[in-house]
Amino acid sequence: MNPLIRLVDSLVRLKGYQVRRDNGLGLGGMRMVRRALDDGQAGEAVAALEDRPRPAAPPAGDLDALHVCLRTCLRENRNVNPKPRLTGSSLEELTLRCTLSLVRSLNHAARHGGGGVSLRVLDDRSDAAPLARLRQVLAEADAAVPVEVVTTAEPGQGPSLHQQFDWARQQDGLTYFVEDDWLHETDGVLAMWDFYRDMAARCGSHLVIAPQEHGSLYMDHPPSYIVLGRDRRWRTIHNATHTLFTHGRVVREQWECFENTRFVGTRKRALGSERQTTNRLFDRMPAFSPLAPAAVHLQYDEILPPFFDWRPLWERNDVSHRVAAVSAPAG
């Protein structure tokens, strides 16, 4: 161990840590895991699962109505990270394929979920031609659910996020917030819906679900619970994006965890980050992600869940034959 590392090691030992060779689990290896276990960093909401082994009354609110909000922006001057996306496709093709996969998943949920499903597309001032193609995909997907396309009251990512959450807190039903670059398994929405109802009845409380856990989070090792669902395993989580499945009552009663999302994309963007907003929910109620993802975030390879091959699902949602002849509406 060189002198600099020895100095760092002596300093971090004052806090109960030590510097060790990376063993594949991240700096400190099992020492980091042990520290997390000793400090109980799973949070009171997760630990409370142990105290609720018996069936409890379901939480207040309608669990058989599902309101979905898809946020999209097909604008040429859209502010995006210039880093090439995972698929190598244009942002428009990415959005259209992901939208088709979502509608197919909603159709499946509507047919087998035993409740009502609706889709609200919140469009942030898309250009006319790609918006027309998006509408064509929605029309030709034979949606078994009512669909409405709504223009944002103000342009920008932050106002769009804030508007969707403000709309959701007025709903008495389950709410699913998703962005336009998430590719859905056909049974993905139904899996989240079924698990939410089952776990809410078991715990007697509302919860939060993320469709996938980003691959980078598997390099961290907080204590977690593994729960068996109807068709897959789920684990408790402590971090996620603003793509979430929860209940309108959660948004209404925990509004302070959503309100500052309006700052996303502004000079005060740190106030709107997940850490400062929706991640705070995970200390207040159980939160889960499926080990076999319900949907995947098609941005970059490092954020995909481990061992998931997205390509077959991508190919099944090819939209080239659906939009080839669609152009911008006249006038």
Side-chain angles (χ1 to χ4, degrees), residues 153-276:
E154 299 178 43
Q157 188 177 2
S160 175
L161 276 165
H162 189 271
Q163 184 173 339
Q164 79 165 1
F165 292 135
D166 185 55
W167 163 79
R169 64 174 172 164
Q170 303 169 44
Q171 310 302 318
D172 181 21
L174 295 167
T175 51
Y176 178 36
F177 313 107
V178 61
E179 296 181 351
D180 58 9
D181 55 358
W182 284 76
L183 188 69
H184 287 74
E185 293 280 12
T186 301
D187 64 347
V189 171
L190 181 61
M192 291 189 287
W193 194 5
D194 283 342
F195 182 78
Y196 193 106
R197 289 183 289 195
D198 293 345
M199 186 55 65
R202 174 184 169 187
C203 295
S205 73
H206 287 294
L207 53 143
V208 183
I209 293 174
Q212 70 151 71
E213 191 163 11
H214 282 48
S216 58
L217 299 180
Y218 280 82
M219 296 306 295
D220 192 6
H221 302 275
S224 59
Y225 289 79
I226 304 297
V227 178
L228 183 64
R230 299 188 188 187
D231 63 349
R232 67 195 73 196
R233 295 175 179 85
W234 302 70
R235 80 164 179 158
T236 53
I237 58 174
H238 67 291
N239 198 325
T241 69
H242 288 129
T243 290
L244 296 170
F245 191 111
T246 188
H247 197 280
R249 292 180 68 96
V250 171
V251 186
R252 183 165 61 253
E253 295 171 2
Q254 306 291 338
W255 181 241
E256 69 274 13
C257 296
F258 296 89
E259 185 173 14
N260 282 350
T261 55
R262 68 186 187 276
F263 293 120
V264 172
T266 73
R267 284 181 290 182
K268 297 182 178 181
R269 61 177 59 85
L271 295 176
S273 68
E274 290 89 346
R275 181 185 298 274
Q276 297 297 326

